[in-house]
Amino acid sequence: MFPLQRGRRLRTNESIRSLVRETSLSPADFMFPMFITEGENIKVEIPSMVGIYRRSIDLTVEEVKEIFALGIRAVNLYVKVSENLKDNTGLEAWNPNGLMQNAIRAIKAACPEMIVMPDVALDPYSIYGHDGIIAKGDIENDSTNDALVKMAVSHAQAGADFVAPSDMMDGRVLRLREGLDAAGFHNVGIMSYSAKYASAFYGPFRDALDSAPVDATEIPKDKKTYQMDYANRIEAIKEALWDVEEGADMVMVKPGIAYLDIVREVKNAVNVPVTVYHVSGEYAMIKAAAERGWLDHDKIMMEQLMCIKRAGASLISTYFAKEAAILLNK
């Protein structure tokens, strides 16, 4: 029988395609990860992340104003801590006058409507490069949680809108919620890195913060005892559900493109917004391939971001945020 239904009728031209398009992107769908360093008037490009910089607070504030004008409404903050401030306790992480705390205050003073989500994990502050406190050759879960609470409360005191625990310690969302509430920060939210996999895609990020685990016989050589095994799917759903039960306002899947099946599974399982981190390695691969002329940079950038949104992301943390916003605004 000659087809009565012809799918191509809805693909005839761009006007028709735009009418029936199921997924759309806007700058408000993006969160921009930003790296902050000490000093003034400092802007240093990260070699493995072309176009991404470590900035001092003054230049970070200027960049925040610029991306807010483009329609981006959230930033995820990371700090590069001086070596002399690192130890095995994370003490500098809750210094009220620390780099992160000062950055939060400066951003909120200059751009109050920008949603600020500082990273909560000890690896930038650790002499070992791990997300928690080392004891007896392993990452100690519960004492790490105690440190994370102090860190999160200090971020809230500085003006953070959300805290973003990326450490993958068991029970840390509940401890953070209890700690924030006890300190009077009932309206400060938690965006939990719920399904954070032990991925090789994080390499450029660790270059940016100098936060890779150190090579020492007395400590774990990698983060596989707390970050998830990338062979697992059901575990991601379980972790996300636990975090929601413990008080997470948003959950995150990380990395992005290689884990879109997990994004959809988590989206179907939870009743809170799902954030996806389009990570440094995914960014760097596109940049490298585009530089060699193997891919059309803008087309593949937008395709990947659209696919992440289509899979179920409410918010995409991506190093492409500014470039994509500029393109969308055109």
Side-chain angles (χ1 to χ4, degrees):
M1 183 178 178
F2 202 77
L4 299 178
Q5 294 293 336
R6 290 177 179 264
R8 290 183 59 188
R9 291 188 191 118
L10 299 181
R11 305 179 202 132
T12 302
N13 56 53
E14 178 56 23
S15 293
I16 293 175
R17 291 192 295 271
S18 67
L19 286 176
V20 299
R21 190 162 289 140
E22 300 172 27
T23 308
S24 62
L25 280 173
S26 81
D29 291 322
F30 305 139
M31 177 162 60
F32 192 31
M34 304 187 77
F35 301 110
I36 303 168
T37 190
E38 294 280 5
E40 292 184 11
N41 198 34
I42 294 175
K43 180 181 176 182
V44 179
E45 188 173 40
I46 299 160
S48 55
M49 299 175 71
V50 175
I52 300 299
Y53 299 85
R54 288 193 292 266
R55 291 178 171 87
S56 51
I57 291 176
D58 54 333
L59 297 188
T60 298
V61 167
E62 294 307 309
E63 182 76 350
V64 166
K65 290 178 182 177
E66 188 173 335
I67 65 173
F68 189 84
L70 291 171
I72 296 168
R73 293 295 179 260
V75 291
N76 193 195
L77 302 184
Y78 302 88
V79 292
K80 187 178 188 307
V81 179
S82 300
E83 290 298 319
N84 65 306
L85 296 176
K86 296 182 180 183
D87 62 15
N88 185 38
T89 70
L91 182 63
E92 178 63 19
W94 54 90
N95 177 358
N97 294 309
L99 181 58
M100 178 69 86
Q101 290 77 3
N102 287 336
I104 295 168
R105 278 191 288 269
I107 292 170
K108 293 302 290 186
C111 192
E113 294 181 56
M114 180 64 84
I115 302 302
V116 176
M117 301 191 189
D119 180 58
V120 175
L122 296 185
D123 51 329
Y125 303 89
S126 169
I127 55 174
Y128 298 115
H130 275 287
D131 290 40
I133 296 168
I134 302 289
K136 298 178 181 179
D138 199 5
I139 290 80
E140 197 168 76
N141 192 93
D142 295 357
S143 64
T144 296
N145 283 343
D146 293 339
L148 297 177
V149 171
K150 296 175 187 176
M151 186 178 184
V153 170
S154 77
H155 293 173
Q157 290 169 337
D161 300 283
F162 284 76
V163 294
S166 63
D167 56 286
M168 289 297 287
M169 296 298 115
D170 292 334
R172 91 275 206 211
V173 172
L174 178 60
R175 292 288 173 259
L176 290 174
R177 186 71 270 157
E178 292 172 338
L180 289 167
D181 288 355
F185 295 107
H186 306 88
N187 291 327
V188 172
I190 298 174
M191 182 193 69
S192 175
Y193 289 57
S194 298
K196 181 179 180 180
Y197 285 86
S199 171
F201 282 107
Y202 304 151
F205 176 92
R206 290 173 182 164
D207 290 342
L209 294 185
D210 190 24
S211 61
V214 300
D215 186 11
T217 56
E218 70 274 13
I219 64 169
K221 65 179 180 179
D222 52 40
K223 301 190 176 187
K224 292 181 179 180
T225 66
Y226 45 102
Q227 294 179 358
M228 287 176 48
D229 184 342
Y230 57 72
N232 293 354
R233 177 182 60 87
I234 295 172
E235 183 182 13
I237 303 169
K238 177 181 69 176
E239 291 280 354
L241 289 172
W242 279 349
D243 283 359
V244 172
E245 290 173 3
E246 291 180 13
D249 301 283
M250 291 188 264
V251 297
M252 178 185 275
V253 175
K254 181 181 181 182
I257 284 295
Y259 294 79
L260 294 186
D261 60 322
I262 306 301
V263 176
R264 175 45 57 184
E265 293 272 14
V266 170
K267 179 70 172 179
N268 290 343
V270 302
N271 58 359
V272 300
V274 176
T275 303
V276 174
Y277 203 140
H278 193 214
V279 300
S280 59
E282 295 168 315
Y283 173 87
M285 288 193 300
I286 292 176
K287 289 293 183 182
E291 284 178 0
R292 292 190 172 217
W294 294 345
L295 294 173
D296 183 305
H297 178 278
D298 289 354
K299 287 182 179 178
I300 198 70
M301 170 181 73
M302 298 308 294
E303 182 177 343
Q304 287 205 359
L305 294 171
M306 185 71 80
C307 291
I308 293 171
K309 180 80 180 293
R310 187 195 65 217
S314 300
L315 181 65
I316 305 169
S317 185
T318 176
Y319 301 99
F320 286 116
K322 184 177 181 180
E323 292 175 276
I326 291 170
L327 199 61
L328 288 168
N329 285 331
K330 290 180 180 178

